[in-house]
């Protein structure tokens, strides 16, 4: 009988510790969808399909853009200063910025990011109505979405 009480007490203590551990475990954050496409207009620099890929870690988020335009000349790594402005569903904007980009040869699609920004739980962000500004060698290129992103806005946990 005594062994049963000790065994039951140990099981209850272990269960209580497991529940406590779950309560204090870090929350998992996710953005959905993780990838969206847009049709972009970059003025005299061209346009076409572009892909945006988002990630989230708490209130920090990043967006990488594989743009619709091609590099006119070879570009070195981290040589493009970029600012991506996304529109919030409830009004306002969120800005993602940085100077991250891979090295690109002339004719390669321009890729920028990951661009860093801050999000709040429940933020719903859309490229349509926002813009991507890229500055290369002192020349600023502005791209805008010609319609809503597909499959829909980024929603952050």
């Amino acid at each position: 009988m005594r062994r049963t009480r000790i065994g039951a007490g140990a099981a209850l203590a272990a269960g209580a510790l497991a529940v406590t551990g779950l309560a204090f475990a870090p929350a998992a954050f996710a953005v959905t969808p993780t990838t969206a496409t847009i049709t972009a207009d970059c003025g005299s620099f061209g346009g076409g399909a572009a892909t945006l890929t988002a990630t989230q870690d708490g209130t920090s988020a990043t967006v990488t853009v594989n743009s619709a335009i091609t590099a006119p000349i070879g570009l070195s790594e981290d040589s493009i200063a970029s600012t991506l402005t996304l529109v919030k569903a409830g009004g306002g904007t969120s800005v993602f910025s940085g100077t991250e980009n891979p090295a690109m040869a002339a004719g390669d699609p321009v890729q920028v990011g990951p661009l860093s920004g801050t999000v709040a739980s429940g933020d719903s962000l859309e490229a349509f109505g926002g813009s991507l500004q890229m500055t290369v060698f002192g020349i600023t290129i502005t791209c805008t979405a010609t319609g809503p992103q597909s499959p829909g806005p980024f929603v952050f946990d």
Side-chain angles (χ1 to χ4, degrees):
M1 178 88 143
R2 187 169 187 204
R3 280 188 209 160
T4 304
R5 277 190 241 167
I6 291 173
L12 285 172
L17 285 173
V19 169
T20 302
L22 287 175
F24 292 107
F29 295 99
V31 57
T32 54
T34 56
T35 302
T37 58
I38 61 168
T39 300
D41 177 3
C42 301
S44 61
F45 294 95
T51 303
L52 289 75
T53 304
T55 64
Q56 179 182 5
D57 183 11
T59 59
S60 297
T62 64
V63 178
T64 300
V65 181
N66 289 307
S67 84
I69 60 174
T70 57
I73 59 172
L75 299 171
S76 61
E77 181 177 2
D78 301 336
S79 62
I80 304 172
S82 303
T83 302
L84 174 66
T85 304
L86 298 176
V87 176
K88 290 184 179 183
T93 59
S94 281
V95 175
F96 295 79
S97 60
T99 56
E100 301 270 337
N101 65 272
M104 291 167 262
D108 285 350
V110 174
Q111 177 183 332
V112 295
L115 306 176
S116 301
T118 303
V119 295
S121 180
D123 274 356
S124 177
L125 304 179
E126 164 72 58
F128 187 51
S131 67
L132 171 64
Q133 289 189 329
M134 301 175 284
T135 302
V136 185
F137 302 122
I139 299 168
T140 299
I141 303 162
T142 301
C143 299
T144 57
T146 59
Q149 66 190 45
S150 177
F154 294 119
V155 179
F156 296 86
D157 269 350

